[in-house]
Amino acid sequence: MLQELMIKNFAIIHNLSLHFQEGMSVLTGETGAGKSIIIDAVGLLAGGRGSSEFVRHGEKKCVLEGMFTLENNEDAHQILEEYGIDQEDQTLIVQREIYASGRTVCRVNGRLVTIAALRDICSHLVDIHGQNEHQELMRPERHLSLLDTFGAKELQEQYQIYTESYQQYKKVKKEYDEWQHNEQELAQRIDILQFQTDEIEAAKLEVGEEERLSEEKNRLVNYQRVMQSLSAAYAALQGNEENNGLDAVGQAMEAMGSIEDLDSQYKRLSEMITNTYFQLQEAASDLFDQLDELAYDENRLNEIEERLDVIHQLKRKYGASIEDILKFQSQASEELERIQDREGQINKLSSQLEELAQRMVEKGRVLSDIRREKAELLENEIHEQLKELYMDKVIVNFKFKLATPTEGKRGHT
């Protein structure tokens, strides 16, 4: 509903603000008072064809602005959402500026839009019935929606059922066409997938391999420092008799063991030293084993670096980790298998299309039958209204054409 209309520097109007209430509003006045100009302004605000001739003489531009309420207008909400226009408080502000130079600027809720977008949006807000312009009844593409609106809930529900069936058919049909017409692209895709899966397969990756190799590489690169540190640690624990850490801890263990029965605190300290002694003894044994196994192998270092380079190359192509690479390989293999079974996929989709088409035809027939019933009721009601206007000779008749399932969303009409 149009609540407010503001017109500035438009034709003979300098500045005009109109506020509309619910119900019917009538503009009256003598010939030349500007009634048609106000309607023209609304038409331009709704996306009508503009011209610099509409700008009041001596002014740089004219401004048209309207405030609409959108309650119970689902079509308007949907089209605004498609254009990404925010809606607040069920209110919409539409503004159009026409400059003397011919330039036009359109805004909807403060957002710049094209004339085409403005016309598309306002087609759900304003319906101007005038001589040879904006006549809703003269637009065949709108007839079905008018009939569906008259049919109210019953028709809307069935139309929704049919629409869902059509969308499902359309989705499968698109996939079917892609399989049918993209043979060259599919062949190229097979080559790419085959190369990718073969490359990953040849690498024989193992989860956790990169971490293990990096640790081994660090040991080899830092061989000298590791050797010195292990030797120093072992010597400190089990070196010569004059500087033997284990012997010193052993002596402390024997000393505390001799008095541990005298006091609970002594016993606790004795146990701590004893545990430490055996832990250090085990550590010394492990240090000895590490020193015994430690060896510098330049060939092994080269092998590790080459292997890590292979892993890094694959990570740059297929994922941030070996797990990601293997996941990519699995997905690529599945896609490759599916594409290679092209004939099977086409046959499967063909069967689905036949089933969906049959289902859509059935839903369309139900929709068509309901529309025919509602059309007959609408014809009678229009005729009764025309009789009251002394136009009882006027004949209104709906004609239906049977459409194929692929001719459009509305199917049987």
Side-chain angles (χ1 to χ4, degrees):
M1 172 184 171
L2 177 61
Q3 284 193 326
E4 295 184 20
L5 177 66
M6 189 276 287
I7 303 173
K8 185 176 181 181
N9 298 328
F10 181 72
I12 63 173
I13 298 176
H14 175 58
N15 203 333
L16 176 66
S17 293
L18 297 174
H19 300 267
F20 300 96
Q21 304 297 324
E22 291 187 6
M24 181 176 178
S25 299
V26 178
L27 301 177
T28 63
E30 297 178 357
T31 301
K35 302 184 298 296
S36 297
I37 293 176
I38 293 175
I39 301 301
D40 290 341
V42 175
L44 283 173
L45 192 63
R49 185 173 181 181
S51 169
S52 59
E53 296 177 359
F54 288 110
V55 180
R56 193 167 185 262
H57 180 69
E59 301 293 341
K60 294 182 179 180
K61 68 176 181 178
C62 68
V63 180
L64 308 172
E65 191 170 70
M67 183 173 76
F68 298 84
T69 56
L70 303 176
E71 293 181 7
N72 302 320
N73 194 336
E74 293 300 326
D75 290 338
H77 284 294
Q78 183 176 351
I79 196 69
L80 289 170
E81 186 176 344
E82 290 177 5
Y83 282 105
I85 296 174
D86 295 332
Q87 310 159 47
E88 295 182 2
D89 303 327
Q90 301 291 317
T91 301
L92 196 70
I93 304 296
V94 178
Q95 184 185 63
R96 183 171 181 181
E97 299 174 351
I98 302 176
Y99 289 79
S101 62
R103 185 167 67 94
T104 294
V105 177
C106 305
R107 293 183 177 87
V108 177
N109 273 1
R111 178 168 179 175
L112 288 171
V113 296
T114 63
I115 290 290
L118 179 67
R119 188 181 303 118
D120 196 12
I121 293 168
C122 289
S123 66
H124 301 283
L125 303 174
V126 180
D127 182 18
I128 299 178
H129 294 275
Q131 202 170 30
N132 299 323
E133 63 172 342
H134 301 293
Q135 296 186 17
E136 187 79 358
L137 294 176
M138 299 301 293
R139 296 168 60 187
E141 69 274 11
R142 293 287 293 157
H143 290 175
L144 270 180
S145 62
L146 292 173
L147 178 58
D148 289 348
T149 301
F150 174 78
K153 186 176 180 180
E154 184 181 2
L155 253 177
Q156 293 293 337
E157 288 179 351
Q158 188 59 42
Y159 174 66
Q160 183 63 31
I161 292 173
Y162 174 80
T163 300
E164 291 173 358
S165 178
Y166 171 75
Q167 293 296 340
Q168 191 175 4
Y169 173 88
K170 187 177 177 182
K171 179 181 178 182
V172 176
K173 182 67 166 60
K174 180 182 178 181
E175 188 176 356
Y176 175 83
D177 290 340
E178 288 175 351
W179 280 104
Q180 286 280 44
H181 303 301
N182 296 340
E183 186 171 355
Q184 183 177 0
E185 292 182 10
L186 290 174
Q188 294 173 349
R189 184 62 178 161
I190 287 175
D191 289 342
I192 293 172
L193 290 171
Q194 191 68 64
F195 172 81
Q196 291 173 334
T197 53
D198 288 347
E199 184 178 30
I200 298 173
E201 180 66 29
K204 299 186 183 303
L205 299 174
E206 296 179 6
V207 176
E209 177 184 8
E210 185 178 15
E211 291 76 10
R212 293 194 301 271
L213 290 174
S214 296
E215 289 178 0
E216 187 177 355
K217 176 184 175 181
N218 285 334
R219 288 197 300 270
L220 289 171
V221 169
N222 297 283
Y223 171 80
Q224 192 64 35
R225 185 156 62 94
V226 171
M227 171 64 76
Q228 290 175 353
S229 296
L230 290 175
S231 298
Y234 182 76
L237 292 177
Q238 221 165 15
N240 55 57
E241 294 181 358
E242 295 179 359
N243 187 19
N244 190 316
L246 270 177
D247 287 346
V249 176
Q251 291 173 6
M253 180 178 67
E254 291 178 4
M256 291 305 300
S258 64
I259 61 172
E260 64 180 11
D261 295 335
L262 301 179
D263 189 292
S264 60
Q265 292 295 328
Y266 299 160
K267 184 173 181 60
R268 181 179 64 82
L269 290 170
S270 176
E271 290 175 351
M272 289 176 60
I273 295 172
T274 300
N275 291 334
T276 301
Y277 176 81
F278 288 116
Q279 288 176 354
L280 290 173
Q281 193 176 50
E282 184 178 356
S285 177
D286 290 343
L287 286 170
F288 180 82
D289 292 339
Q290 290 290 332
L291 285 167
D292 189 51
E293 294 175 2
L294 191 63
Y296 179 75
D297 188 341
E298 186 175 357
N299 292 331
R300 176 56 182 165
L301 178 60
N302 292 334
E303 290 176 3
I304 293 173
E305 289 179 339
E306 290 175 2
R307 181 62 176 173
L308 287 174
D309 185 60
V310 169
I311 294 174
H312 293 161
Q313 291 288 344
L314 293 176
K315 285 171 63 177
R316 278 196 290 269
K317 293 181 180 179
Y318 307 118
S321 65
I322 289 180
E323 289 87 345
D324 291 337
I325 297 171
L326 294 176
K327 182 179 179 181
F328 179 91
Q329 180 191 19
S330 177
Q331 294 173 343
S333 297
E334 291 177 3
E335 184 181 354
L336 180 61
E337 183 178 352
R338 187 168 60 88
I339 294 177
Q340 288 175 334
D341 185 28
R342 179 173 176 271
E343 291 300 323
Q345 292 294 326
I346 290 176
N347 292 335
K348 179 182 177 181
L349 291 172
S350 178
S351 299
Q352 289 182 12
L353 274 180
E354 291 180 8
E355 181 180 343
L356 290 171
Q358 181 62 35
R359 186 188 310 168
M360 188 166 53
V361 168
E362 293 172 0
K363 303 299 181 185
R365 283 173 179 161
V366 174
L367 178 61
S368 182
D369 291 342
I370 297 175
R371 278 174 171 164
R372 290 173 190 274
E373 293 175 6
K374 298 299 180 182
E376 187 175 348
L377 291 174
L378 183 56
E379 288 172 2
N380 294 333
E381 290 195 18
I382 292 175
H383 188 66
E384 291 299 320
Q385 294 289 330
L386 291 174
K387 283 173 63 177
E388 295 183 8
L389 298 173
Y390 302 100
M391 300 172 65
D392 55 311
K393 300 299 182 182
V394 175
I395 298 175
V396 177
N397 182 252
F398 284 88
K399 292 185 178 181
F400 290 82
K401 172 188 173 183
L402 189 64
T404 63
T406 57
E407 281 185 334
K409 182 180 178 182
R410 292 192 173 269
H412 293 68
T413 59

